Amino acid sequence: MVTCTLIRQYLEPLSTPGVKSVKQKSAVLRLLFIFQIFIFFNSVIHAQIETISTKDTTRYSEKQAFEEEKFIAASSLRLANKTKEAIPILQELIKNNKTEPTFYYELARTYYLDKQYDNALTNASKSVSLDPLNLYYAIFEAEILEKQGNAELAAAKYEVIVSNHPRVEEYWLKMAKLYSAAAMPLKSIETFERMGNTFGFSEEILFRKFRAQSETGDLNAAVITLEQLVKSFPDNLQAKNTLASIYKSDGREEDAKELYSEVLQSDPTNANANIALAQGMKDGVNDSQRSEEHTSELQSRSDLV
């Protein structure tokens, strides 16, 4: 209404004979242009409001709001450790919507808290099947399997996780640990080898591989890995001390002396190297005793590198 009145105020003088101001003409044109834009956007907004306010959209929003309200209530009950009250709410949500993975995941977490691990696994697996790329669902499924003592299957789940997230070292280390818990040491060692090929052989990866090999009794392979560690990271004096000690117990006195000397060049006060050189190298150690000392050295030293 105000806009129309303003337009009339500008148009009426132009209709009066002898009054044709250029400035007034220009002003009217500008005002008409603004008015047209105003009418256009007003019609668009009105159309959008009508679209949003349709009957179907309103009904869908109400359903979503109801589910969200129930879901929040169930989650709050779980956090309050009221699992018995939360479970039926989530079961009802799933009954009415069998395709929402979040509902299954939340129910799995609630069952897990209630120590119903079989039911927890069933629902966690369902959430993964509905959303295979969701990292949280996959990790939780593996966690339940580990809790049930099924480390081998949990490791298999981590194989999938690692394939989807190959640049996260934490997942590789977890997988190696699970293989070790499943009494599959060769798979654990293989995992460290694959880690090295993926990230490069860091000090940590080489040490973990060395420890896994020594724990399986693969002594020759363990020594080779430790030699690789010493060669790649010469500033790691503890690794040098460990390898020198192994050389010493295996009768490789000259190799041991060389390593201890390198340690003292970097750290003249190093106690292990000073004591070893002060005691001298063992003489007359038979092959059987050397083998026993070698094995003992690997197992006792693997935690110290």
Side-chain angles (χ1 to χ4, degrees):
M1 182 65 69
V2 174
T3 306
C4 292
T5 303
L6 289 173
I7 290 175
R8 281 199 301 269
Q9 289 176 353
Y10 276 95
L11 287 177
E12 285 173 358
L14 292 179
S15 62
T16 304
V19 180
K20 296 182 181 285
S21 168
V22 175
K23 289 184 178 180
Q24 284 181 317
K25 286 182 179 181
S26 177
V28 169
L29 290 175
R30 285 197 301 270
L31 188 58
L32 285 172
F33 178 73
I34 294 171
F35 180 72
Q36 287 174 345
I37 293 175
F38 172 81
I39 294 298
F40 173 77
F41 279 107
N42 185 58
S43 62
V44 170
I45 292 170
H46 182 70
Q48 289 177 336
I49 292 173
E50 287 184 344
T51 302
I52 294 172
S53 301
T54 60
K55 186 177 180 181
D56 290 341
T57 304
T58 302
R59 185 165 61 247
Y60 177 79
S61 297
E62 288 176 354
K63 180 177 181 291
Q64 288 291 93
F66 174 79
E67 289 182 342
E68 183 177 349
E69 180 182 352
K70 291 294 184 181
F71 182 80
I72 292 173
S75 299
S76 299
L77 288 169
R78 176 181 60 79
L79 292 172
N81 207 28
K82 297 180 179 180
T83 56
K84 302 299 184 185
E85 298 176 41
I87 288 171
I89 296 175
L90 292 165
Q91 289 174 329
E92 184 66 22
L93 283 171
I94 290 172
K95 181 180 178 180
N96 295 324
N97 186 349
K98 295 181 172 61
T99 61
E100 177 52 59
T102 309
F103 297 161
Y104 291 96
Y105 176 63
E106 182 63 23
L107 183 56
R109 295 176 69 189
T110 306
Y111 275 132
Y112 186 89
L113 184 61
D114 202 44
K115 302 187 187 309
Q116 298 186 47
Y117 300 122
D118 289 340
N119 288 332
L121 180 60
T122 298
N123 285 277
S125 299
K126 184 64 176 179
S127 70
V128 172
S129 68
L130 289 171
D131 189 358
L133 297 181
N134 188 296
L135 178 60
Y136 299 104
Y137 300 169
I139 289 177
F140 189 55
E141 183 185 26
E143 181 182 341
I144 298 171
L145 288 166
E146 183 182 9
K147 184 71 174 181
Q148 291 180 313
N150 197 340
E152 181 177 356
L153 190 51
K157 297 297 181 181
Y158 263 91
E159 287 282 5
V160 178
I161 293 171
V162 164
S163 68
N164 291 329
H165 304 274
R167 302 303 302 178
V168 183
E169 290 190 45
E170 177 185 350
Y171 303 151
W172 289 90
L173 294 174
K174 181 65 176 181
M175 183 168 67
K177 180 181 179 181
L178 287 168
Y179 277 130
S180 180
M184 302 173 70
L186 295 181
K187 291 292 291 184
S188 182
I189 294 169
E190 177 191 315
T191 299
F192 292 127
E193 186 69 25
R194 289 161 58 193
M195 279 189 72
N197 292 332
T198 301
F199 300 100
F201 286 93
S202 65
E203 287 182 84
E204 181 181 7
I205 292 174
L206 287 171
F207 162 65
R208 289 179 181 273
K209 182 182 174 184
F210 156 71
R211 185 169 63 180
Q213 289 168 328
S214 65
E215 289 174 352
T216 63
D218 191 355
L219 307 182
N220 291 331
V223 170
I224 291 172
T225 299
L226 189 56
E227 288 173 338
Q228 183 182 358
L229 173 58
V230 168
K231 181 179 179 180
S232 300
F233 303 95
D235 292 335
N236 190 326
L237 302 186
Q238 185 59 64
K240 280 187 177 181
N241 269 326
T242 301
L243 183 57
S245 181
I246 293 170
Y247 283 162
K248 180 180 176 182
S249 67
D250 201 34
R252 297 172 58 178
E253 290 86 355
E254 293 303 319
D255 291 332
K257 285 181 181 180
E258 182 178 349
L259 282 176
Y260 282 133
S261 298
E262 289 180 9
V263 170
L264 292 176
Q265 286 177 5
S266 300
D267 179 15
T269 63
N270 188 278
N272 288 335
N274 277 307
I275 291 172
L277 289 178
Q279 288 178 344
M281 299 297 108
K282 292 181 180 178
D283 295 323
V285 180
N286 59 44
D287 291 339
S288 176
Q289 185 177 350
R290 283 175 181 167
S291 178
E292 291 176 1
E293 289 180 349
H294 193 169
T295 303
S296 176
E297 194 68 37
L298 279 169
Q299 292 176 343
S300 64
R301 289 277 183 169
S302 62
D303 290 329
L304 301 178
V305 178

